[in-house]
């Protein structure tokens, strides 16, 4: 087998995105604790400016990545959400009930555990949403490593849960992580919004006008104080599912964009944000309220929230487990939901910016995500050898 064929097979595998993401995070950790550390942090804090007659944007590279590149990541999530709502897993409300309720439980329980450790600490309490998110690429990647040992219905359950979890994270960012509002820019943002609506109404088949209007919207939303990544989601919802020729701009764009997001943008984000600096980090820092609240929120909170709500709904007769899925499978997925990584680091950056607290955030996110991944894999590996029987509501 040639190298090109092997690489092509690797990148088509469901686990590829998670593996590349882990590699980028590991590389960040190595570089941040090597002789290259100074250059690494200096490069991330280098200011880049795009201005016209003194007006425009001037930000360090790390914020161009987190506010700019991640807007493309959220754009892809928006495309996926719209597709699933119109013709996929989120179309039938009955199919959404169980994973949807599990996603809500899996956001509330981690936040409560975080608050339990950080209540009364004004410096850290606003990071309560950090352990509430699930990383789709990582979680699905770990599940894919199990191959046929995991039922197909379990992957659908996890995907639906993770998609709804991302939707919840988007809502949280919009409501709780918005800076001081500049209303004039919000009013101006109505202009590209009107253009996007017109493109959708006319079912145009060209993507370029939508992307251009989305970039203008991103700039105005960023200047308004609302987090700019939300512009990516909003733009995605105006991409037509079907154009006037019967083709699908949404499908085409999602298919074209996915490799660049999962194999370039998200790894760049991971490399830029996962560099935990061990120098000066003592045992007391590892078990302080912030990293401990995040790690246990991801590891224990997701288990309790996802599994507990699923168990309650089935026992109440409100829902049934998917065909071929056992309670051990559900517990394994509840563990995998604790892999927060991308979204957790992103919300951590919104909460604390850079500095000592962000380093503690990285410790908590990486620790909790790693424990969740290993536990979830082991639980599902042993469950996969059993004959699964459908579990009906009692």
């Amino acid at each position: 087998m040639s190298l090109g064929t092997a690489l092509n097979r690797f990148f088509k595998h469901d686990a590829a995105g998670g593996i590349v993401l882990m590699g980028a995070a590991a590389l960040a950790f190595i570089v941040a604790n090597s002789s290259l550390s100074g250059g690494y942090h200096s490069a991330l804090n280098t200011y880049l400016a795009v201005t016209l007659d003194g007006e425009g944007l001037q930000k360090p590279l790390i914020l161009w990545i987190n506010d700019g590149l991640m807007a493309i990541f959220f754009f892809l999530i928006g495309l996926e959400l719209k597709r699933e709502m119109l013709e996929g897993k989120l179309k039938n409300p009955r199919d959404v009930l169980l994973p949807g309720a599990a996603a809500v439980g899996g956001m509330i329980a981690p936040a409560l555990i975080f608050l339990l450790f950080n209540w009364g600490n004004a410096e850290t309490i606003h990071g309560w949403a950090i352990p509430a998110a699930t990383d789709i690429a990582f979680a699905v990647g770990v599940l894919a490593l199990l191959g046929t040992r995991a039922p197909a219905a379990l992957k659908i359950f996890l995907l639906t849960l993770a998609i709804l979890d991302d939707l919840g994270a988007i809502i949280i960012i919009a409501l709780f992580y918005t800076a001081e509002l500049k209303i004039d820019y919000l009013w101006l943002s109505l202009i590209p919004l009107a253009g996007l609506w017109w493109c959708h109404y006319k079912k145009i088949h060209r993507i370029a006008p939508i992307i251009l209007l989305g970039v203008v919207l991103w700039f105005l939303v960023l200047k308004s104080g609302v987090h700019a990544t939300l512009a990516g989601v909003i733009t995605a919802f105006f991409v037509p599912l079907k154009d006037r020729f019967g083709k699908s701009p949404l499908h085409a764009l999602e298919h074209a964009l996915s490799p660049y997001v999962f194999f370039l943008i998200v790894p760049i984000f991971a490399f830029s944000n996962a560099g935990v600096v061990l120098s000066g980090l003592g045992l007391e820092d590892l078990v302080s309220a912030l990293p401990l609240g995040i790690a246990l929120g991801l590891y224990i909170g997701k288990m309790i929230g996802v599994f507990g709500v699923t168990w309650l709904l089935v026992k109440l007769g409100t829902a049934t487990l998917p065909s071929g899925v056992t309670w051990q499978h559900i517990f394994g997925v509840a563990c995998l939901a604790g892999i927060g990584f991308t979204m957790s680091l992103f919300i951590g950056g919104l909460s604390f910016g850079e500095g000592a607290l962000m380093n503690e955030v990285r410790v908590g996110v990486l620790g909790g995500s790693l424990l969740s991944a290993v536990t979830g894999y082991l639980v599902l590996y042993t469950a996969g050898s059993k004959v699964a029987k459908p579990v009906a509501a009692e």
Side-chain angles (χ1 to χ4, degrees):
M1 184 189 300
S2 67
L3 178 61
T5 303
L7 287 173
N8 189 49
R9 289 182 62 181
F10 169 75
F11 285 116
K12 287 184 176 179
H13 197 280
D14 285 346
I19 292 171
V20 172
L21 200 53
M22 284 187 275
L27 183 61
F29 178 80
I30 292 168
V31 171
N33 293 281
S34 71
S35 59
L36 300 173
S37 177
Y40 170 77
H41 291 289
S42 176
L44 290 176
N45 288 296
T46 299
Y47 269 77
L48 299 177
V50 178
T51 59
L52 181 64
D53 195 26
E55 289 292 327
L57 296 175
Q58 184 175 347
K59 290 175 172 289
L61 179 61
I62 183 69
L63 290 185
W64 279 105
I65 293 169
N66 292 356
D67 292 344
L69 286 184
M70 287 302 283
I72 303 173
F73 169 76
F74 278 89
F75 177 67
L76 182 63
I77 288 178
L79 292 174
E80 186 176 42
L81 278 171
K82 180 173 180 178
R83 173 177 54 78
E84 295 291 354
M85 286 176 176
L86 294 178
E87 59 180 21
K89 304 175 190 70
L90 307 182
K91 184 178 180 180
N92 188 341
R94 267 187 7 183
D95 297 335
V96 177
L97 175 62
L98 191 61
V104 173
M107 299 187 82
I108 293 173
L112 290 176
I113 288 179
F114 179 91
L115 291 173
L116 182 66
F117 282 89
N118 290 272
W119 192 259
N121 188 336
E123 192 177 21
T124 63
I125 196 168
H126 55 285
W128 60 270
I130 295 172
T134 295
D135 189 299
I136 294 180
F138 250 136
V140 173
V142 173
L143 189 64
L145 292 174
L146 293 158
T148 57
R149 299 181 72 88
L154 192 66
K155 180 179 178 181
I156 294 173
F157 181 87
L158 176 60
L159 275 171
T160 307
L161 186 153
I163 290 167
L164 292 169
D165 189 287
D166 277 348
L167 179 60
I170 290 165
I171 293 170
I172 286 172
I173 291 169
L175 295 178
F176 300 102
Y177 290 92
T178 292
E180 184 180 349
L181 286 177
K182 297 178 181 177
I183 302 299
D184 51 344
Y185 282 105
L186 281 180
W187 281 115
L188 285 172
S189 70
L190 294 177
I191 298 173
L193 268 178
L196 288 167
W197 175 85
W198 185 86
C199 291
H200 188 270
Y201 176 73
K202 290 294 184 180
K203 295 184 178 180
I204 67 167
H205 64 282
R206 294 186 181 277
I207 300 297
I210 297 174
I211 299 300
L212 181 60
L213 288 166
V215 171
V216 175
L217 179 65
W218 173 83
F219 172 80
L220 293 172
V221 170
L222 178 65
K223 296 292 282 186
S224 75
V226 177
H227 202 272
T229 50
L230 299 177
V233 180
I234 294 168
T235 302
F237 272 82
F238 285 101
V239 177
L241 180 64
K242 297 288 183 182
D243 62 21
R244 60 178 179 268
F245 301 109
K247 296 181 180 180
S248 178
L250 189 150
H251 285 175
L253 193 54
E254 184 182 4
H255 179 74
L257 201 57
S258 291
Y260 294 99
V261 169
F262 291 116
F263 298 119
L264 182 63
I265 290 174
V266 173
I268 287 174
F269 171 84
F271 179 73
S272 304
N273 288 271
V276 178
V277 179
L278 296 179
S279 177
L281 200 65
L283 181 61
E284 66 279 3
D285 298 307
L286 298 177
V287 295
S288 64
L290 181 57
L292 204 58
I294 293 170
L296 293 182
L298 287 170
Y299 186 58
I300 303 296
K302 286 288 186 180
M303 284 185 195
I304 295 172
V306 172
F307 185 83
V309 169
T310 304
W311 180 88
L312 185 63
L313 287 183
V314 171
K315 293 303 177 182
L316 289 175
T318 308
T320 59
L321 290 186
S323 177
V325 173
T326 67
W327 283 115
Q328 189 171 342
H329 287 130
I330 294 296
F331 183 69
V333 161
C335 295
L336 293 185
I339 306 174
F341 201 72
T342 305
M343 290 298 289
S344 293
L345 287 174
F346 184 77
I347 295 174
L350 297 181
S351 302
F352 302 111
E354 284 299 311
L357 287 179
M358 188 58 200
N359 200 49
E360 291 185 19
V361 167
R362 295 185 182 107
V363 171
V365 170
L366 294 176
S369 297
L370 182 61
L371 282 173
S372 298
V374 172
T375 305
Y377 179 85
L378 292 176
V379 169
L380 291 171
Y381 186 84
T382 57
S385 60
K386 300 178 180 180
V387 178
K389 296 178 180 180
V391 179
E394 296 178 358

